[in-house]
Amino acid sequence: MQFTSERLDGDVLEREFTLGEIPGTLWTPGSAAPVPLVLMAHNNGLPKSDPRLMARARYTAARGYAVATIDAAGCGERPRSAADERARTELRRAMQAGEPVDEIFESFIGPLVENAVPEWRTTLDALLALPGIDGPVGYSGGWTALGIRLAVAEPRIKAAGFFAGGYVPRAQREEAGQVTIPLLFLLQWDDEGNPRERALELFDAFGTKEKTLHANLGGHTGTPWFELEDGCRFLDRHLK
């Protein structure tokens, strides 16, 4: 892991890094004591510099966590394959025509999840080797499909916060029953791109005995700011 830049924002140190071809950002608090780690993922082609993600990361770091995100293949700074571009073009066309899009999402998001998991696990190895970062590890992000796959595959993750705002492929819906860690699930009741019935079915499918659903009125990007504070309290209960 190579750090390429750093910036101090109040008591939070923000550092850009590269790990092979993987670009990422790490936020750490001013505390000298070892702190837990939170992985904060994003998808849909968004960059790690997305303002909403960065605001959540800085807030969480200020609460006493190391927070890290990376750009998955095809997101942010990383080039998209020709297959990705074709899938995105077809998705836009189908949405504009009012046609069903689940199968397009399936063919696109499924491989993206599978390809992202090894990179996140490699990043996790490198982060936990840094001084000042200790376990346990949490997951927080809008990429619920990736979070499910990581929660099943990665025993170092001890708690997760998911946002019910993106397509979850069949493979991850089927393995939701294997998610046994404490879970906080956020749902925007009027999310135009995510039918609430599907989100509620996914919540019901999670195998954990400790799961909480927070539902708020509003569209996809309307999650109330107080949910970030509640999310940190959830992490405090399980990671500190």
Side-chain angles (χ1 to χ4, degrees):
M1 176 176 284
Q2 179 179 359
F3 289 102
T4 57
S5 68
E6 65 176 52
R7 183 175 73 92
L8 190 62
D9 183 3
D11 291 332
V12 174
L13 179 62
E14 177 183 305
R15 288 177 285 177
E16 301 290 326
F17 66 83
T18 57
L19 185 60
E21 296 180 354
I22 307 169
T25 308
L26 173 65
W27 295 264
T28 49
S31 170
V35 293
L37 173 64
V38 176
L39 306 179
M40 198 166 282
H42 60 94
N43 66 341
N44 294 333
L46 292 174
K48 57 186 175 57
S49 59
D50 177 73
R52 289 180 297 156
L53 183 144
M54 294 184 71
R56 289 194 294 114
R58 289 170 181 149
Y59 182 92
T60 305
R63 290 281 296 256
Y65 293 93
V67 181
T69 189
I70 62 173
D71 276 341
C75 294
E77 303 171 11
R78 302 182 68 179
R80 296 176 180 176
S81 68
D84 286 346
E85 291 291 359
R86 285 194 298 270
R88 291 178 187 276
T89 299
E90 177 61 16
L91 179 61
R92 287 192 294 269
R93 186 205 62 77
M95 292 179 69
Q96 291 171 358
E99 298 174 0
V101 295
D102 279 8
E103 291 307 313
I104 302 175
F105 272 125
E106 192 72 32
S107 64
F108 174 48
I109 301 295
L112 196 61
V113 171
E114 292 302 321
N115 292 334
V117 167
E119 293 189 341
W120 273 99
R121 298 186 79 178
T122 297
T123 303
L124 179 56
D125 291 339
L127 291 167
L128 289 178
L130 295 174
I133 299 179
D134 200 355
V137 180
Y139 178 92
S140 175
W143 198 354
T144 297
L146 175 65
I148 293 171
R149 184 84 277 277
L150 282 174
V152 172
E154 182 48 73
R156 289 174 291 185
I157 296 178
K158 302 301 183 183
F162 294 154
F163 293 81
Y167 182 82
V168 177
R170 284 188 289 269
Q172 277 67 64
R173 295 200 299 269
E174 290 172 359
E175 67 183 350
Q178 301 175 49
V179 175
T180 58
I181 59 175
L183 179 65
L184 176 63
F185 197 52
L186 301 183
L187 170 62
Q188 285 302 103
W189 202 247
D190 308 300
D191 190 338
E192 59 281 1
N194 184 51
R196 71 179 71 129
E197 293 81 7
R198 179 179 291 176
L200 293 172
E201 288 173 1
L202 180 61
F203 178 77
D204 191 52
F206 288 122
T208 179
K209 300 300 182 184
E210 187 172 347
K211 54 184 175 180
T212 300
L213 172 68
H214 286 186
N216 291 282
L217 297 178
H220 184 73
T221 60
T223 304
W225 182 253
F226 61 73
E227 288 292 1
L228 181 53
E229 182 179 358
D230 287 347
C232 285
R233 285 200 293 265
F234 166 80
L235 293 174
D236 291 345
R237 289 197 298 273
H238 300 290
L239 302 185
K240 289 186 176 181

